[in-house]
Amino acid sequence: MIYYIYDGSFDGLLTAIYEAYYRHQEPEKILRDGSIQDNLFIEHVYIKADQQKAQRVYNAIVNKISPAAAKKVLYAFLSEAEDAATTIYRYLKLGFKLGKSVDSALADPYVFRVHFLHGKVSGEAGKMLGLVRFRLLKSGIFYAPIEPDYNILGIIAPHFKKRLPTQDWIIHDLKRKLAAFYSQGHYAVVPFEFNGALSLDDDEFDYQTLWKEYFHNIAIKSRINPRLQRQFMPVRYWKHLIETPGGHSKS
């Protein structure tokens, strides 16, 4: 029994799929490095990420299956689910046989799983567009902390590039220690860790105070529905919302 082990990157996963095809092997599982356990009956094959090989696989997905399938594969990968890599591999094996009709084969467990993971990631990315709260720092940069369940930073960054094209901003995924840095029409997602206190601009502190007061005053007590509120804005997101308890204030 063979397990392919990759570095955890999307290029690494696509390289593993490339190697499985050209080596005429069929790995039982594809796992990210660090998530394996010793087993005498399993041969671990370590795959080194290769950008050119990965690009060839990605192009094949787009051309032989569909651009929509490529998007589903990426979103499933960004779910960070333990079985995501193996699921994507099985989905693509079937996809290269069936073409774009693979997405109609929902009776197949791997096709269904890819659709499920895609839906979860897409759903959270859509919610997060309305939940990101920027704070103006003394440096003049707008900063927003987030802690999403899934690795959606690269999905939502283009939206804010269009929404705030003339501002310098940072969206910081605290959970994954990643940040999207934007300036002068370009953004990049890079590893980033910051544990210090934020220095908010004085006007930003006044704005936050006014916003919290406004949010409190417009609430009609007889219509407050905590259950419905949690449905549309889950409690796990409240930590970084200015208008809710736990929202950030001046350090």
Side-chain angles (χ1 to χ4, degrees):
M1 187 183 301
I2 297 175
Y3 283 11
Y4 274 14
I5 311 302
Y6 75 108
D7 64 1
S9 69
F10 191 54
D11 279 353
L13 170 58
L14 295 185
T15 303
I17 293 170
Y18 175 97
E19 294 294 348
Y21 177 80
Y22 283 98
R23 295 183 187 188
H24 303 289
Q25 291 180 328
E26 187 169 343
E28 183 70 19
K29 292 184 179 180
I30 299 179
L31 302 173
R32 69 173 62 224
D33 195 12
S35 63
I36 58 176
Q37 296 180 350
D38 291 333
N39 189 313
L40 294 175
F41 302 101
I42 297 174
E43 177 187 356
H44 295 138
V45 178
Y46 289 83
I47 304 297
K48 183 179 179 181
D50 184 306
Q51 190 173 14
Q52 291 185 339
K53 292 178 180 179
Q55 189 62 52
R56 287 183 64 180
V57 174
Y58 186 82
N59 291 342
I61 298 170
V62 172
N63 296 324
K64 296 184 179 181
I65 306 177
S66 70
K71 182 178 179 180
K72 286 184 176 66
V73 163
L74 174 60
Y75 278 41
F77 172 79
L78 294 175
S79 74
E80 301 175 327
E82 185 177 350
D83 65 336
T86 303
T87 297
I88 290 167
Y89 166 60
R90 301 291 181 184
Y91 166 84
L92 290 178
K93 279 199 68 177
L94 184 62
F96 288 135
K97 292 179 181 179
L98 301 182
K100 64 181 181 181
S101 64
V102 68
D103 285 318
S104 299
L106 292 175
D108 182 274
Y110 298 108
V111 175
F112 181 85
R113 181 67 172 161
V114 165
H115 280 240
F116 175 81
L117 294 176
H118 168 264
K120 285 290 187 180
V121 173
S122 180
E124 184 174 48
K127 286 181 180 178
M128 192 59 65
L129 296 182
L131 296 173
V132 172
R133 296 293 186 269
F134 286 96
R135 289 88 165 160
L136 178 60
L137 306 181
K138 286 186 179 295
S139 62
I141 297 173
F142 286 88
Y143 172 86
I146 61 173
E147 293 184 71
D149 289 340
Y150 308 116
N151 189 1
I152 61 172
L153 187 57
I155 299 175
I156 67 174
H159 168 84
F160 292 99
K161 176 184 175 182
K162 294 178 181 178
R163 182 181 172 188
L164 301 170
T166 62
Q167 307 291 341
D168 291 340
W169 50 258
I170 300 169
I171 302 177
H172 186 189
D173 184 339
L174 302 173
K175 185 176 180 180
R176 293 165 185 82
K177 300 178 181 179
L178 293 173
F181 288 82
Y182 173 85
S183 183
Q184 299 180 349
H186 302 281
Y187 75 89
V189 176
V190 298
F192 180 69
E193 185 173 5
F194 176 75
N195 297 317
L198 293 174
S199 296
L200 294 181
D201 183 85
D202 291 337
D203 290 340
E204 171 67 18
F205 180 64
D206 293 338
Y207 164 76
Q208 286 194 14
T209 302
L210 289 171
W211 175 241
K212 287 180 180 179
E213 290 179 357
Y214 170 76
F215 185 80
H216 175 74
N217 290 332
I218 65 169
I220 301 173
K221 293 183 179 180
S222 62
R223 294 186 179 180
I224 293 176
N225 187 335
R227 183 177 180 182
L228 185 63
Q229 185 181 31
R230 288 192 295 268
Q231 179 180 340
F232 287 96
M233 193 192 318
V235 174
R236 66 181 180 274
Y237 297 127
W238 290 14
K239 179 179 178 181
H240 300 296
L241 297 179
I242 296 169
E243 64 270 29
T244 59
H248 187 77
S249 59
K250 189 176 182 179
S251 301

